Amino acid sequence: MSPTSVLEENKVGAEGTFYQAQLRLKPTRNHFFAPVDLVHAEAVHRDAETVEYSDEEERQVKLLFVGNFLNALSYPIEHSLRSCPVNQFDRTNIGNVHVIEAFNDNYGVSTNAKWTLALSIFYVGYCLLEIPANILQRRIGANRFFFLSLTEWGIVSLSFVYAKGYRGLLALRILLGIGEAGYYAGMIYYLSFWYKKHELAIRISLGMTGTLPGAFGGLIAFGLVRAHTSILAGWQFLFLIEAIPTLVMALTILVFLPSFPFMARFLTPRERAIAQARLNRDHKPQSHGGMTGWQGFKAVIADPNAWLFALIYASFNVGVATISYFLPTLIKDLGFSSIDAQGLTVAPYVVGWFMVFFQAWHSDRTKDRGWHIMLSCSISFIGYIILATAVQKSVGAAYFALFLVVGGNYSLFPLVMSWAANVFSPTSKRGVGTAFIVSISNCISIASPQIYFDSEDSFRKGHAISAACLFLSFCAAFALRTRLSLKNKRNGEALMVMSLKEESSVSEVWDSDPRYVFMT
């Protein structure tokens, strides 16, 4: 081969479009549940190995994520799906309507025990289907999976408007949990194909926590509970406005959301190669191949890190699973009316959102997760201690404590889940691992609402139990950070004796490999 040919070949490779240019057809699938087109995926991955680009080009490609669809995913989609609403809006919604007598009469919620059972039963289907849902997402792609999930949500939410009786409430809560299974872990898994390790927490914080949906849910409830027509009462309007935007968004996601970067139509072939290459230099995510779902599951359950993550998540989620449902009730018990209680939920959620955002931003900036998680646990712990000791003595102190609890609890979501996404590798293990953490943790959430059994004592025992769980989460985070720091040190020592050939790799590095660097 002549020097001129070599130069031309290198130039084509550096452009990052050579293998994609060989493709003659657009990605196709035979049916709705068919797997993604692996030929196109392979072409983008091969171009990503040779593409050369500047820091400015990388910045421009990342801006395209924000300017086109991905910001619509990690902010408006999540924000509008939850505050227009979806997942967290549903949870704040059900808490808001519980303080309305008409809702309780319609569904036969006559005691606190019936109410907590209705809350708990939501997590049954959620837990059982979390991991299978994630495996399905990897096969059919994010847009189709989220379409199925959101469509089921929307239909169930619409059914709340006209259903009646306690059995109807329990059935709808089970169906809602089935629809939400896999969504949270699936969204984090999906974002890991677009963002580097130290870019994840801030993206998750913008769309995957319930603070802004909680604030908007309180405002909407505050306004709509007064509404009444000959057909619908105020509480029914809350579920109606949850259902319609969810169904619209489900169709929007199906049409416009690319399953993976190699299927992004808003990117040019070169930009797709750059999008893949920037992640290959960070953690080399693979959209296909590698471990099967079953192999990923076995790798996860054999990994002590997964169980420590599950302990961290399950412990703080006890507080989240209760505060999101009980916040209006807790404020009402301070002496406020039902309508005022809904309005007063807004301020803790708004302040909590600023804490969520700051913690995630600073965590990404410092590339630290462990210490930030321990700080959030401490803040929430202090809030619960104040509630357990002063709720009957000072309305002001109790209301202030709710700010600490909401901010501390919800800021843990992006920190813990982005940390987990950074620790598990290969990609198939990451997907199953995040689903495993959410699934195991939400098994605990089945019992979480039951800790608020002492309504006659202002739920002081429930607050004390939540405080103990936050302390346990703090200890588990400290243990995990220490363990990962020691593993990084041992891996560094092992890497010093490896040959240069052994160190280089064009494939995804597994977390059991000495070359893998854990974020701490």
Side-chain angles (χ1 to χ4, degrees):
M1 184 179 295
S2 67
T4 303
S5 300
V6 173
L7 287 174
E8 289 179 354
E9 183 176 329
N10 290 339
K11 184 178 179 180
V12 170
E15 186 66 23
T17 60
F18 178 77
Y19 293 102
Q20 294 176 77
Q22 311 307 308
L23 302 173
R24 294 289 180 263
L25 300 174
K26 293 182 179 180
T28 58
R29 303 199 212 182
N30 295 327
H31 54 83
F32 187 88
F33 292 99
V36 296
D37 192 321
L38 302 186
V39 175
H40 284 74
E42 186 63 29
V44 174
H45 277 276
R46 295 182 72 180
D47 280 334
E49 294 174 9
T50 58
V51 66
E52 296 178 4
Y53 57 93
S54 64
D55 292 341
E56 177 61 22
E57 285 183 293
E58 179 180 352
R59 190 182 72 84
Q60 290 297 326
V61 168
K62 195 166 71 168
L63 285 175
L64 287 173
F65 301 164
V66 178
N68 284 272
F69 87 94
L70 204 52
N71 192 51
L73 170 71
S74 62
Y75 183 67
I77 283 186
E78 261 304 315
H79 172 59
S80 42
L81 288 183
R82 290 189 176 188
S83 59
C84 270
V86 168
N87 183 297
Q88 289 297 331
F89 194 6
D90 158 69
R91 301 187 189 189
T92 56
N93 228 8
I94 199 74
N96 284 323
V97 295
H98 177 54
V99 299
I100 302 173
E101 289 302 323
F103 170 83
N104 295 327
D105 293 341
N106 182 78
Y107 283 109
V109 183
S110 54
T111 64
N112 188 63
K114 281 190 170 183
W115 172 239
T116 54
L117 176 60
L119 298 180
S120 295
I121 205 167
F122 162 87
Y123 293 101
V124 174
Y126 195 109
C127 296
L128 294 176
L129 296 178
E130 184 76 29
I131 294 177
N134 187 269
I135 295 173
L136 175 64
Q137 176 188 337
R138 191 169 190 243
R139 174 181 171 82
I140 68 175
N143 61 334
R144 299 186 181 197
F145 173 76
F146 293 143
F147 167 77
L148 294 174
S149 182
L150 297 180
T151 299
E152 204 265 8
W153 272 345
I155 293 172
V156 173
S157 297
L158 197 60
S159 301
F160 271 99
V161 177
Y162 295 107
K164 294 182 183 295
Y166 188 64
R167 291 182 179 179
L169 176 63
L170 295 181
L172 290 176
R173 291 290 294 168
I174 292 173
L175 291 174
L176 195 63
I178 291 173
E180 291 193 21
Y183 181 81
Y184 182 66
M187 192 66 76
I188 294 166
Y189 172 68
Y190 179 70
L191 290 174
S192 71
F193 282 95
W194 297 87
Y195 289 107
K196 294 181 179 180
K197 293 178 182 179
H198 65 277
E199 298 170 346
L200 267 181
I202 189 65
R203 270 76 193 181
I204 297 173
S205 75
L206 289 174
M208 314 244 4
T209 55
T211 46
L212 279 183
F216 283 113
L219 280 175
I220 294 171
F222 183 72
L224 283 183
V225 292
R226 298 175 174 83
H228 190 85
T229 68
S230 58
I231 301 176
L232 298 177
W235 67 267
Q236 291 173 306
F237 279 108
L238 288 176
F239 289 104
L240 183 64
I241 65 169
E242 174 184 350
I244 295 175
T246 301
L247 293 171
V248 172
M249 191 60 70
L251 184 60
T252 303
I253 286 177
L254 178 64
V255 175
F256 295 108
L257 186 72
S259 295
F260 296 99
F262 66 82
M263 299 182 72
R265 296 178 183 177
F266 65 85
L267 297 177
T268 66
R270 174 170 169 78
E271 288 166 348
R272 285 195 288 267
I274 293 173
Q276 184 63 50
R278 66 186 293 271
L279 294 192
N280 286 352
R281 298 178 181 182
D282 188 62
H283 60 275
K284 295 185 175 70
Q286 299 291 320
S287 58
H288 63 283
M291 291 181 175
T292 63
W294 175 243
Q295 290 171 331
F297 176 74
K298 290 192 293 184
V300 166
I301 62 174
D303 189 345
N305 295 334
W307 293 99
L308 282 170
F309 272 119
L311 181 59
I312 295 170
Y313 193 109
S315 299
F316 84 78
N317 203 41
V318 169
V320 174
T322 50
I323 200 67
S324 58
Y325 294 130
F326 279 89
L327 186 58
T329 301
L330 295 176
I331 295 176
K332 181 183 178 183
D333 286 353
L334 294 178
F336 298 97
S337 67
S338 297
I339 294 178
D340 288 342
Q342 290 165 340
L344 288 169
T345 62
V346 175
Y349 279 125
V350 170
V351 174
W353 182 85
F354 282 102
M355 180 176 171
V356 169
F357 180 82
F358 176 79
Q359 277 282 77
W361 170 80
H362 195 262
S363 175
D364 276 349
R365 184 178 178 84
T366 58
K367 299 183 180 180
D368 169 85
R369 298 287 188 256
W371 294 122
H372 286 78
I373 289 172
M374 285 180 261
L375 175 61
S376 291
C377 287
S378 300
I379 292 172
S380 185
F381 173 80
I382 293 170
Y384 279 119
I385 291 297
I386 294 174
L387 287 172
T389 57
V391 67
Q392 295 174 335
K393 300 175 183 178
S394 171
V395 172
Y399 188 57
F400 169 74
L402 292 175
F403 285 76
L404 301 180
V405 166
V406 170
N409 279 341
Y410 281 103
S411 63
L412 286 163
F413 274 117
L415 296 174
V416 173
M417 294 311 294
S418 62
W419 197 14
N422 297 156
V423 166
F424 295 130
S425 187
T427 309
S428 50
K429 181 182 178 182
R430 181 180 304 120
V432 175
T434 52
F436 171 81
I437 293 167
V438 175
S439 179
I440 294 297
S441 302
N442 281 311
C443 288
I444 307 299
S445 295
I446 295 175
S448 294
Q450 308 304 319
I451 70 171
Y452 274 29
F453 59 88
D454 56 330
S455 56
E456 71 287 344
D457 191 31
S458 302
F459 302 106
R460 292 176 64 198
K461 294 184 181 67
H463 297 320
I465 294 172
S466 296
C469 289
L470 264 296
F471 179 73
L472 179 59
S473 187
F474 177 99
C475 294
F478 179 79
L480 179 58
R481 189 187 188 283
T482 302
R483 185 174 191 276
L484 294 179
S485 296
L486 291 174
K487 284 181 70 69
N488 280 340
K489 184 178 179 180
R490 288 196 296 268
N491 287 347
E493 294 171 351
L495 202 59
M496 292 177 64
V497 299
M498 291 178 66
S499 67
L500 185 61
K501 183 177 181 180
E502 290 176 311
E503 286 188 42
S504 61
S505 174
V506 295
S507 61
E508 189 170 20
V509 178
W510 291 24
D511 56 30
S512 56
D513 194 298
R515 292 167 295 182
Y516 195 83
V517 180
F518 295 96
M519 180 176 281
T520 59

